[in-house]
PDB file of all heavy atoms in Angstrom:
ATOM      1  N   GLY A  11      20.567 -63.741 -66.302  1.00 86.00           N
ATOM      2  CA  GLY A  11      19.884 -62.699 -65.551  1.00 86.00           C
ATOM      3  C   GLY A  11      18.422 -62.590 -65.973  1.00 86.00           C
ATOM      4  O   GLY A  11      18.042 -63.048 -67.068  1.00 86.00           O
ATOM      5  N   PRO A  12      17.608 -62.000 -65.144  1.00 89.00           N
ATOM      6  CA  PRO A  12      16.202 -61.850 -65.505  1.00 89.00           C
ATOM      7  C   PRO A  12      16.060 -60.844 -66.642  1.00 89.00           C
ATOM      8  O   PRO A  12      16.929 -59.993 -66.848  1.00 89.00           O
ATOM      9  CB  PRO A  12      15.555 -61.297 -64.224  1.00 89.00           C
ATOM     10  CG  PRO A  12      16.666 -60.649 -63.505  1.00 89.00           C
ATOM     11  CD  PRO A  12      17.906 -61.416 -63.843  1.00 89.00           C
ATOM     12  N   PRO A  13      14.982 -60.942 -67.391  1.00 89.00           N
ATOM     13  CA  PRO A  13      14.792 -59.964 -68.467  1.00 89.00           C
ATOM     14  C   PRO A  13      14.582 -58.567 -67.886  1.00 89.00           C
ATOM     15  O   PRO A  13      14.099 -58.431 -66.755  1.00 89.00           O
ATOM     16  CB  PRO A  13      13.526 -60.469 -69.183  1.00 89.00           C
ATOM     17  CG  PRO A  13      12.814 -61.295 -68.180  1.00 89.00           C
ATOM     18  CD  PRO A  13      13.870 -61.882 -67.300  1.00 89.00           C
ATOM     19  N   PRO A  14      14.941 -57.549 -68.643  1.00 82.00           N
ATOM     20  CA  PRO A  14      14.761 -56.190 -68.119  1.00 82.00           C
ATOM     21  C   PRO A  14      13.289 -55.885 -67.879  1.00 82.00           C
ATOM     22  O   PRO A  14      12.423 -56.318 -68.626  1.00 82.00           O
ATOM     23  CB  PRO A  14      15.349 -55.300 -69.199  1.00 82.00           C
ATOM     24  CG  PRO A  14      15.556 -56.137 -70.392  1.00 82.00           C
ATOM     25  CD  PRO A  14      15.515 -57.560 -69.974  1.00 82.00           C
ATOM     26  N   LEU A  15      13.048 -55.155 -66.825  1.00 84.00           N
ATOM     27  CA  LEU A  15      11.698 -54.770 -66.459  1.00 84.00           C
ATOM     28  C   LEU A  15      11.225 -53.644 -67.379  1.00 84.00           C
ATOM     29  O   LEU A  15      11.951 -52.668 -67.599  1.00 84.00           O
ATOM     30  CB  LEU A  15      11.661 -54.294 -65.007  1.00 84.00           C
ATOM     31  CG  LEU A  15      10.325 -53.936 -64.403  1.00 84.00           C
ATOM     32  CD1 LEU A  15       9.420 -55.181 -64.377  1.00 84.00           C
ATOM     33  CD2 LEU A  15      10.515 -53.400 -63.015  1.00 84.00           C
ATOM     34  N   ARG A  16      10.053 -53.787 -67.928  1.00 84.00           N
ATOM     35  CA  ARG A  16       9.494 -52.720 -68.767  1.00 84.00           C
ATOM     36  C   ARG A  16       8.944 -51.623 -67.865  1.00 84.00           C
ATOM     37  O   ARG A  16       8.120 -51.870 -67.010  1.00 84.00           O
ATOM     38  CB  ARG A  16       8.374 -53.255 -69.651  1.00 84.00           C
ATOM     39  CG  ARG A  16       8.911 -54.068 -70.780  1.00 84.00           C
ATOM     40  CD  ARG A  16       7.857 -54.302 -71.811  1.00 84.00           C
ATOM     41  NE  ARG A  16       8.525 -54.771 -72.999  1.00 84.00           N
ATOM     42  CZ  ARG A  16       8.034 -54.635 -74.195  1.00 84.00           C
ATOM     43  NH1 ARG A  16       6.866 -54.075 -74.356  1.00 84.00           N
ATOM     44  NH2 ARG A  16       8.679 -55.084 -75.228  1.00 84.00           N
ATOM     45  N   VAL A  17       9.423 -50.424 -68.105  1.00 86.00           N
ATOM     46  CA  VAL A  17       9.067 -49.288 -67.282  1.00 86.00           C
ATOM     47  C   VAL A  17       8.539 -48.196 -68.203  1.00 86.00           C
ATOM     48  O   VAL A  17       9.073 -47.984 -69.282  1.00 86.00           O
ATOM     49  CB  VAL A  17      10.282 -48.765 -66.486  1.00 86.00           C
ATOM     50  CG1 VAL A  17       9.930 -47.554 -65.697  1.00 86.00           C
ATOM     51  CG2 VAL A  17      10.819 -49.860 -65.590  1.00 86.00           C
ATOM     52  N   ASP A  18       7.482 -47.520 -67.758  1.00 90.00           N
ATOM     53  CA  ASP A  18       6.983 -46.378 -68.513  1.00 90.00           C
ATOM     54  C   ASP A  18       7.822 -45.164 -68.128  1.00 90.00           C
ATOM     55  O   ASP A  18       7.648 -44.576 -67.058  1.00 90.00           O
ATOM     56  CB  ASP A  18       5.508 -46.149 -68.195  1.00 90.00           C
ATOM     57  CG  ASP A  18       4.892 -45.048 -69.031  1.00 90.00           C
ATOM     58  OD1 ASP A  18       5.577 -44.499 -69.920  1.00 90.00           O
ATOM     59  OD2 ASP A  18       3.701 -44.731 -68.793  1.00 90.00           O
ATOM     60  N   LEU A  19       8.778 -44.805 -68.982  1.00 93.00           N
ATOM     61  CA  LEU A  19       9.692 -43.714 -68.672  1.00 93.00           C
ATOM     62  C   LEU A  19       8.964 -42.388 -68.512  1.00 93.00           C
ATOM     63  O   LEU A  19       9.400 -41.517 -67.768  1.00 93.00           O
ATOM     64  CB  LEU A  19      10.741 -43.580 -69.759  1.00 93.00           C
ATOM     65  CG  LEU A  19      11.837 -44.645 -69.769  1.00 93.00           C
ATOM     66  CD1 LEU A  19      12.825 -44.371 -70.891  1.00 93.00           C
ATOM     67  CD2 LEU A  19      12.567 -44.683 -68.450  1.00 93.00           C
ATOM     68  N   ARG A  20       7.844 -42.246 -69.185  1.00 95.00           N
ATOM     69  CA  ARG A  20       7.081 -40.989 -69.067  1.00 95.00           C
ATOM     70  C   ARG A  20       6.650 -40.761 -67.622  1.00 95.00           C
ATOM     71  O   ARG A  20       6.804 -39.670 -67.086  1.00 95.00           O
ATOM     72  CB  ARG A  20       5.879 -41.034 -70.000  1.00 95.00           C
ATOM     73  CG  ARG A  20       5.097 -39.752 -70.018  1.00 95.00           C
ATOM     74  CD  ARG A  20       4.032 -39.834 -71.124  1.00 95.00           C
ATOM     75  NE  ARG A  20       3.146 -38.706 -71.082  1.00 95.00           N
ATOM     76  CZ  ARG A  20       3.395 -37.516 -71.621  1.00 95.00           C
ATOM     77  NH1 ARG A  20       4.522 -37.339 -72.274  1.00 95.00           N
ATOM     78  NH2 ARG A  20       2.527 -36.544 -71.521  1.00 95.00           N
ATOM     79  N   ARG A  21       6.165 -41.815 -66.965  1.00 96.00           N
ATOM     80  CA  ARG A  21       5.758 -41.687 -65.567  1.00 96.00           C
ATOM     81  C   ARG A  21       6.936 -41.368 -64.666  1.00 96.00           C
ATOM     82  O   ARG A  21       6.840 -40.548 -63.750  1.00 96.00           O
ATOM     83  CB  ARG A  21       5.092 -42.972 -65.079  1.00 96.00           C
ATOM     84  CG  ARG A  21       3.700 -43.162 -65.557  1.00 96.00           C
ATOM     85  CD  ARG A  21       3.113 -44.371 -64.882  1.00 96.00           C
ATOM     86  NE  ARG A  21       1.753 -44.577 -65.323  1.00 96.00           N
ATOM     87  CZ  ARG A  21       0.978 -45.534 -64.862  1.00 96.00           C
ATOM     88  NH1 ARG A  21       1.438 -46.376 -63.942  1.00 96.00           N
ATOM     89  NH2 ARG A  21      -0.254 -45.667 -65.292  1.00 96.00           N
ATOM     90  N   VAL A  22       8.053 -42.029 -64.934  1.00 96.00           N
ATOM     91  CA  VAL A  22       9.252 -41.793 -64.123  1.00 96.00           C
ATOM     92  C   VAL A  22       9.718 -40.346 -64.269  1.00 96.00           C
ATOM     93  O   VAL A  22      10.027 -39.674 -63.282  1.00 96.00           O
ATOM     94  CB  VAL A  22      10.359 -42.781 -64.528  1.00 96.00           C
ATOM     95  CG1 VAL A  22      11.664 -42.451 -63.835  1.00 96.00           C
ATOM     96  CG2 VAL A  22       9.944 -44.206 -64.230  1.00 96.00           C
ATOM     97  N   LEU A  23       9.770 -39.868 -65.506  1.00 98.00           N
ATOM     98  CA  LEU A  23      10.197 -38.499 -65.753  1.00 98.00           C
ATOM     99  C   LEU A  23       9.232 -37.486 -65.151  1.00 98.00           C
ATOM    100  O   LEU A  23       9.675 -36.471 -64.567  1.00 98.00           O
ATOM    101  CB  LEU A  23      10.356 -38.254 -67.250  1.00 98.00           C
ATOM    102  CG  LEU A  23      11.546 -38.992 -67.895  1.00 98.00           C
ATOM    103  CD1 LEU A  23      11.432 -38.976 -69.407  1.00 98.00           C
ATOM    104  CD2 LEU A  23      12.842 -38.367 -67.449  1.00 98.00           C
ATOM    105  N   LEU A  24       7.938 -37.722 -65.270  1.00 98.00           N
ATOM    106  CA  LEU A  24       6.965 -36.822 -64.685  1.00 98.00           C
ATOM    107  C   LEU A  24       7.073 -36.790 -63.158  1.00 98.00           C
ATOM    108  O   LEU A  24       6.923 -35.723 -62.534  1.00 98.00           O
ATOM    109  CB  LEU A  24       5.548 -37.189 -65.127  1.00 98.00           C
ATOM    110  CG  LEU A  24       5.224 -36.874 -66.588  1.00 98.00           C
ATOM    111  CD1 LEU A  24       3.869 -37.444 -66.960  1.00 98.00           C
ATOM    112  CD2 LEU A  24       5.285 -35.376 -66.850  1.00 98.00           C
ATOM    113  N   ALA A  25       7.356 -37.923 -62.547  1.00 98.00           N
ATOM    114  CA  ALA A  25       7.547 -37.954 -61.095  1.00 98.00           C
ATOM    115  C   ALA A  25       8.778 -37.167 -60.696  1.00 98.00           C
ATOM    116  O   ALA A  25       8.751 -36.416 -59.698  1.00 98.00           O
ATOM    117  CB  ALA A  25       7.669 -39.392 -60.615  1.00 98.00           C
ATOM    118  N   GLY A  26       9.842 -37.271 -61.485  1.00 98.00           N
ATOM    119  CA  GLY A  26      11.041 -36.497 -61.202  1.00 98.00           C
ATOM    120  C   GLY A  26      10.810 -35.013 -61.357  1.00 98.00           C
ATOM    121  O   GLY A  26      11.270 -34.202 -60.537  1.00 98.00           O
ATOM    122  N   ILE A  27      10.103 -34.633 -62.410  1.00 98.00           N
ATOM    123  CA  ILE A  27       9.774 -33.217 -62.621  1.00 98.00           C
ATOM    124  C   ILE A  27       8.921 -32.685 -61.468  1.00 98.00           C
ATOM    125  O   ILE A  27       9.129 -31.561 -60.989  1.00 98.00           O
ATOM    126  CB  ILE A  27       9.088 -33.006 -63.984  1.00 98.00           C
ATOM    127  CG1 ILE A  27      10.080 -33.275 -65.112  1.00 98.00           C
ATOM    128  CG2 ILE A  27       8.509 -31.622 -64.090  1.00 98.00           C
ATOM    129  CD1 ILE A  27       9.433 -33.317 -66.491  1.00 98.00           C
ATOM    130  N   ALA A  28       7.967 -33.503 -61.019  1.00 98.00           N
ATOM    131  CA  ALA A  28       7.125 -33.081 -59.880  1.00 98.00           C
ATOM    132  C   ALA A  28       7.961 -32.885 -58.633  1.00 98.00           C
ATOM    133  O   ALA A  28       7.746 -31.932 -57.854  1.00 98.00           O
ATOM    134  CB  ALA A  28       6.025 -34.103 -59.644  1.00 98.00           C
ATOM    135  N   ALA A  29       8.935 -33.747 -58.412  1.00 98.00           N
ATOM    136  CA  ALA A  29       9.801 -33.627 -57.228  1.00 98.00           C
ATOM    137  C   ALA A  29      10.629 -32.339 -57.323  1.00 98.00           C
ATOM    138  O   ALA A  29      10.768 -31.595 -56.348  1.00 98.00           O
ATOM    139  CB  ALA A  29      10.715 -34.833 -57.106  1.00 98.00           C
ATOM    140  N   TRP A  30      11.171 -32.056 -58.518  1.00 98.00           N
ATOM    141  CA  TRP A  30      11.942 -30.832 -58.699  1.00 98.00           C
ATOM    142  C   TRP A  30      11.062 -29.590 -58.551  1.00 98.00           C
ATOM    143  O   TRP A  30      11.499 -28.582 -58.020  1.00 98.00           O
ATOM    144  CB  TRP A  30      12.671 -30.816 -60.040  1.00 98.00           C
ATOM    145  CG  TRP A  30      13.922 -31.615 -60.049  1.00 98.00           C
ATOM    146  CD1 TRP A  30      14.172 -32.753 -60.777  1.00 98.00           C
ATOM    147  CD2 TRP A  30      15.126 -31.353 -59.328  1.00 98.00           C
ATOM    148  NE1 TRP A  30      15.443 -33.204 -60.521  1.00 98.00           N
ATOM    149  CE2 TRP A  30      16.044 -32.355 -59.642  1.00 98.00           C
ATOM    150  CE3 TRP A  30      15.494 -30.360 -58.430  1.00 98.00           C
ATOM    151  CZ2 TRP A  30      17.333 -32.390 -59.090  1.00 98.00           C
ATOM    152  CZ3 TRP A  30      16.775 -30.392 -57.881  1.00 98.00           C
ATOM    153  CH2 TRP A  30      17.668 -31.402 -58.211  1.00 98.00           C
ATOM    154  N   ALA A  31       9.826 -29.672 -59.035  1.00 98.00           N
ATOM    155  CA  ALA A  31       8.918 -28.524 -58.908  1.00 98.00           C
ATOM    156  C   ALA A  31       8.585 -28.260 -57.436  1.00 98.00           C
ATOM    157  O   ALA A  31       8.504 -27.104 -57.019  1.00 98.00           O
ATOM    158  CB  ALA A  31       7.658 -28.781 -59.722  1.00 98.00           C
ATOM    159  N   THR A  32       8.388 -29.328 -56.684  1.00 98.00           N
ATOM    160  CA  THR A  32       8.134 -29.170 -55.260  1.00 98.00           C
ATOM    161  C   THR A  32       9.339 -28.544 -54.564  1.00 98.00           C
ATOM    162  O   THR A  32       9.209 -27.630 -53.740  1.00 98.00           O
ATOM    163  CB  THR A  32       7.810 -30.532 -54.621  1.00 98.00           C
ATOM    164  OG1 THR A  32       6.679 -31.097 -55.294  1.00 98.00           O
ATOM    165  CG2 THR A  32       7.516 -30.417 -53.134  1.00 98.00           C
ATOM    166  N   ALA A  33      10.517 -29.042 -54.909  1.00 98.00           N
ATOM    167  CA  ALA A  33      11.748 -28.486 -54.326  1.00 98.00           C
ATOM    168  C   ALA A  33      11.913 -27.022 -54.725  1.00 98.00           C
ATOM    169  O   ALA A  33      12.353 -26.202 -53.916  1.00 98.00           O
ATOM    170  CB  ALA A  33      12.956 -29.296 -54.780  1.00 98.00           C
ATOM    171  N   LEU A  34      11.536 -26.669 -55.967  1.00 98.00           N
ATOM    172  CA  LEU A  34      11.623 -25.296 -56.413  1.00 98.00           C
ATOM    173  C   LEU A  34      10.707 -24.388 -55.603  1.00 98.00           C
ATOM    174  O   LEU A  34      11.115 -23.307 -55.174  1.00 98.00           O
ATOM    175  CB  LEU A  34      11.292 -25.182 -57.915  1.00 98.00           C
ATOM    176  CG  LEU A  34      11.307 -23.784 -58.512  1.00 98.00           C
ATOM    177  CD1 LEU A  34      12.707 -23.193 -58.438  1.00 98.00           C
ATOM    178  CD2 LEU A  34      10.812 -23.826 -59.944  1.00 98.00           C
ATOM    179  N   ALA A  35       9.487 -24.848 -55.372  1.00 98.00           N
ATOM    180  CA  ALA A  35       8.542 -24.050 -54.574  1.00 98.00           C
ATOM    181  C   ALA A  35       9.084 -23.830 -53.157  1.00 98.00           C
ATOM    182  O   ALA A  35       9.011 -22.712 -52.631  1.00 98.00           O
ATOM    183  CB  ALA A  35       7.189 -24.750 -54.525  1.00 98.00           C
ATOM    184  N   VAL A  36       9.636 -24.858 -52.568  1.00 98.00           N
ATOM    185  CA  VAL A  36      10.179 -24.737 -51.211  1.00 98.00           C
ATOM    186  C   VAL A  36      11.375 -23.774 -51.218  1.00 98.00           C
ATOM    187  O   VAL A  36      11.485 -22.915 -50.338  1.00 98.00           O
ATOM    188  CB  VAL A  36      10.586 -26.122 -50.661  1.00 98.00           C
ATOM    189  CG1 VAL A  36      11.393 -25.991 -49.373  1.00 98.00           C
ATOM    190  CG2 VAL A  36       9.373 -26.980 -50.453  1.00 98.00           C
ATOM    191  N   THR A  37      12.261 -23.912 -52.196  1.00 98.00           N
ATOM    192  CA  THR A  37      13.452 -23.059 -52.198  1.00 98.00           C
ATOM    193  C   THR A  37      13.125 -21.604 -52.515  1.00 98.00           C
ATOM    194  O   THR A  37      13.820 -20.710 -52.026  1.00 98.00           O
ATOM    195  CB  THR A  37      14.510 -23.581 -53.180  1.00 98.00           C
ATOM    196  OG1 THR A  37      13.943 -23.679 -54.484  1.00 98.00           O
ATOM    197  CG2 THR A  37      15.055 -24.921 -52.740  1.00 98.00           C
ATOM    198  N   VAL A  38      12.081 -21.368 -53.299  1.00 98.00           N
ATOM    199  CA  VAL A  38      11.669 -19.975 -53.565  1.00 98.00           C
ATOM    200  C   VAL A  38      11.191 -19.335 -52.260  1.00 98.00           C
ATOM    201  O   VAL A  38      11.513 -18.181 -51.968  1.00 98.00           O
ATOM    202  CB  VAL A  38      10.607 -19.913 -54.677  1.00 98.00           C
ATOM    203  CG1 VAL A  38       9.929 -18.568 -54.721  1.00 98.00           C
ATOM    204  CG2 VAL A  38      11.224 -20.244 -56.026  1.00 98.00           C
TER     205      VAL A  38
END
Side-chain angles (χ1 to χ4, degrees):
L15 184 63
R16 285 194 165 204
V17 177
D18 185 4
L19 286 181
R20 184 172 173 84
R21 283 187 179 183
V22 173
L23 290 166
L24 288 173
I27 291 171
W30 280 115
T32 303
L34 178 63
V36 170
T37 56
V38 166

